[in-house]
Amino acid sequence: MDDTVQLSKVETFKGLFGNNLFRVLIVVIGTDIGAAIGFFYSQYQKQYFHYSTRSLDFNIKTI
């Protein structure tokens, strides 16, 4: 609870990094942005490079 009270009293951007709540929020935001970039990059690869996992399927009839 103290972190939220201190967060409202911060006057400079440098002061934000001394607050543990702000540090946690920065990590959460960075993680979400990284996950979104990874998702869109994988969809881009899937759409334009057409890789398939069908060649990895094991077919018992071929033995």
Side-chain angles (χ1 to χ4, degrees):
M1 201 65 169
D2 293 335
D3 289 334
T4 55
V5 173
Q6 290 176 356
L7 191 61
S8 65
K9 294 179 181 179
V10 173
E11 295 180 3
T12 63
F13 189 71
K14 187 176 180 180
L16 286 174
F17 287 103
N19 191 322
N20 291 333
L21 178 63
F22 183 75
R23 289 182 183 182
V24 170
L25 290 175
I26 290 295
V27 170
V28 168
I29 290 169
T31 303
D32 289 342
I33 290 171
I37 289 171
F39 172 76
F40 287 118
Y41 180 72
S42 69
Q43 295 304 310
Y44 169 79
Q45 278 189 332
K46 192 175 185 180
Q47 182 179 2
Y48 291 108
F49 295 112
H50 303 292
Y51 62 87
S52 175
T53 58
R54 288 177 137 316
S55 62
L56 301 177
D57 289 341
F58 184 76
N59 190 352
I60 207 157
K61 293 180 183 178
T62 59
I63 297 179

